[in-house]
């Protein structure tokens, strides 16, 4: 089992992290300004992952994104629309701006409990259907058993499959790996999972599926950012971060924005390296900035 913490010279310092997060929390009211909230809006993966999603309900969401600039021309568009893989073509065919990416959850989301061959086939089919970004879940059945090599190889196999399917279409597809930090529990587990995912080819590391009891937390995001910084120092490669799950307010957005700014700096504060996985947050950000209740989405 690879000792990633020793390899990258990193050990989470709980006391220092708590102190930094307390400072960030004390400044959140100042961060709740129009510039920051609009930047966060442009980094959203606008998400619908409901059991009762239909092609019609997904089409309705995409039409709202298509119409958004007509009502709010001073805002950026969301970074992507995130759906189940069977709806990838719905988003691709209906969106009117390719800058709004098609993100899909794949590889047997949210549990990642199936045969590796099934996970790879689902990822390949999602790319062939038009996905620009693939979000998968770390195989916790391997990771929590201490079989880091198997967990790593599964991500690497998805990376190869996604790249091959994308290359056949003459394009590139982003891979985000969800750590499910609420089930990892300790900062050390979160850090090991973060390094494992990055080494295995993740373009982004993501906190959560939104489908477990504990989802994104400031502590988890802070540890992940510190790991990204260590990985960048060691390899030169920038990896993005995506907090997701349990976030709904403008203050939540400002909190995670502040964590990324504090640990990683301004060069990460764009949709290439920072995403927010959201379903309810879009209207709340609009309401804060517009200073009235907005229910556009």
């Amino acid at each position: 089992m690879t000792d990633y913490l020793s390899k990258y010279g990193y050990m989470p310092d709980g006391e220092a992290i708590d102190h930094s997060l307390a400072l960030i929390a004390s400044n959140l009211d100042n961060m709740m300004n129009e510039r920051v909230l609009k930047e966060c809006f442009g980094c959203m993966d606008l998400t619908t992952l409901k059991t009762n999603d239909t092609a019609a309900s997904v089409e309705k969401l995409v039409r709202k994104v298509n119409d958004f600039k007509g009502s709010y021309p001073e805002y950026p568009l969301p970074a992507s629309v995130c759906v189940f893989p069977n709806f990838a073509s719905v988003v691709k065919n209906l969106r009117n701006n390719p800058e709004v990416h098609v993100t899909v959850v794949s590889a047997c989301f949210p549990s990642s409990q199936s045969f590796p061959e099934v996970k790879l086939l689902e990822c390949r089919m999602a790319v062939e259907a038009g996905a620009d970004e693939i979000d998968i879940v770390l195989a916790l059945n391997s990771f929590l058993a201490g079989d880091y090599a198997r967990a790593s190889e599964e991500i690497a196999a998805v990376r190869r499959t996604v790249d091959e399917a994308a290359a056949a279409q003459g394009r590139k597809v982003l891979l985000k790996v969800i750590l499910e930090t609420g089930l990892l529990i300790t900062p050390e587990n979160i850090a090991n999972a973060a390094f494992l995912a990055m080494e295995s080819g993740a373009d982004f590391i993501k906190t959560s599926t939104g489908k477990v009891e504990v989802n994104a937390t400031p502590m988890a995001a802070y540890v992940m950012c510190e790991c990204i910084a260590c990985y960048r120092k060691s390899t030169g490669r920038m990896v993005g971060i995506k907090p997701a799950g349990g976030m709904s307010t403008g203050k939540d957005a400002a909190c995670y924005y502040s964590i990324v700014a504090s640990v990683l700096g301004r060069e990460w504060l764009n949709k290439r390296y920072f995403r927010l996985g959201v379903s309810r947050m879009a209207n709340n950000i609009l309401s804060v900035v517009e200073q009235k209740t907005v229910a556009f989405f």
Side-chain angles (χ1 to χ4, degrees), residues 163-208:
D163 287 348
E164 181 181 280
Q169 299 178 339
R171 60 196 187 93
K172 294 184 180 296
V173 169
L174 290 177
L175 177 63
K176 308 194 199 86
V177 176
I178 304 163
L179 307 184
E180 201 67 289
T181 53
L183 299 181
L184 297 178
I185 301 173
T186 69
E188 291 77 16
N189 270 347
I190 293 169
N192 273 313
F195 287 125
L196 183 154
M198 290 187 287
E199 278 200 0
S200 304
D203 295 305
F204 273 76
I205 51 176
K206 176 178 171 182
T207 59
S208 321

Side-chain angles (χ1 to χ4, degrees), residues 49-288:
L49 297 172
K50 299 190 292 290
T51 302
N52 61 345
D53 281 341
T54 63
S57 68
V58 172
E59 287 172 358
K60 183 178 179 181
L61 178 61
V62 177
R63 287 194 180 95
K64 289 180 178 179
V65 174
N66 287 346
D67 294 341
F68 180 70
K69 280 288 196 177
S71 299
Y72 296 94
E74 301 303 317
Y75 287 76
L77 286 166
S80 80
V81 175
C82 180
V83 294
F84 287 117
N86 48 306
F87 296 122
S89 61
V90 175
V91 181
K92 178 181 180 251
N93 293 334
L94 190 58
R95 64 177 174 179
N96 62 12
N97 188 334
E99 290 298 310
V100 178
H101 280 189
V102 181
T103 295
V104 304
V105 293
S106 194
C108 301
F109 174 96
S111 67
S112 193
Q113 297 280 18
S114 190
F115 303 103
E117 296 87 351
V118 174
K119 298 179 187 182
L120 296 179
L121 178 60
E122 187 177 59
C123 291
R124 179 181 296 279
M125 291 178 70
V127 174
E128 291 172 347
D132 301 302
E133 306 181 8
I134 300 286
D135 289 20
I136 68 168
V137 183
L138 170 70
L140 293 180
N141 51 11
S142 298
F143 182 87
L144 293 177
D147 193 346
Y148 287 7
R150 185 172 180 178
S152 174
E153 174 51 34
E154 187 168 297
I155 296 170
V158 170
R159 173 85 270 175
R160 293 191 295 270
T161 297
V162 166
D163 287 348
E164 181 181 280
Q169 299 178 339
R171 60 196 187 93
K172 294 184 180 296
V173 169
L174 290 177
L175 177 63
K176 308 194 199 86
V177 176
I178 304 163
L179 307 184
E180 201 67 289
T181 53
L183 299 181
L184 297 178
I185 301 173
T186 69
E188 291 77 16
N189 270 347
I190 293 169
N192 273 313
F195 287 125
L196 183 154
M198 290 187 287
E199 278 200 0
S200 304
D203 295 305
F204 273 76
I205 51 176
K206 176 178 171 182
T207 59
S208 321
T209 60
K211 305 297 185 182
V212 296
E213 186 174 345
V214 177
N215 291 287
T217 64
M219 180 278 290
Y222 200 98
V223 169
M224 290 164 66
C225 284
E226 289 194 320
C227 292
I228 289 170
C230 288
Y231 184 77
R232 199 268 180 97
K233 183 178 180 181
S234 177
T235 68
R237 187 167 78 92
M238 291 175 67
V239 174
I241 182 165
K242 179 179 174 180
M247 306 180 308
S248 63
T249 67
K251 186 164 281 190
D252 290 333
C255 175
Y256 290 105
Y257 179 101
S258 298
I259 290 170
V260 173
S262 173
V263 180
L264 295 171
R266 282 286 312 172
E267 62 182 324
W268 257 266
L269 293 172
N270 57 76
K271 66 181 181 180
R272 179 63 186 85
Y273 296 109
F274 176 48
R275 296 293 180 85
L276 295 163
V278 307
S279 56
R280 296 170 293 164
M281 184 183 284
N283 285 332
N284 288 333
I285 287 178
L286 290 170
S287 297
V288 172

Side-chain angles (χ1 to χ4, degrees), residues 12-70:
D13 183 335
E15 186 175 332
I17 291 170
D18 287 345
H19 178 71
S20 296
L21 290 175
L23 290 176
I24 287 170
S26 70
N27 192 47
L28 281 185
D29 287 342
N30 293 325
M31 296 299 291
M32 290 276 290
N33 60 65
E34 181 175 338
R35 178 187 63 80
V36 167
L37 292 176
K38 284 184 175 180
E39 286 186 30
C40 289
F41 194 94
C43 293
M44 292 188 312
D45 288 345
L46 194 60
T47 301
T48 180
L49 297 172
K50 299 190 292 290
T51 302
N52 61 345
D53 281 341
T54 63
S57 68
V58 172
E59 287 172 358
K60 183 178 179 181
L61 178 61
V62 177
R63 287 194 180 95
K64 289 180 178 179
V65 174
N66 287 346
D67 294 341
F68 180 70
K69 280 288 196 177

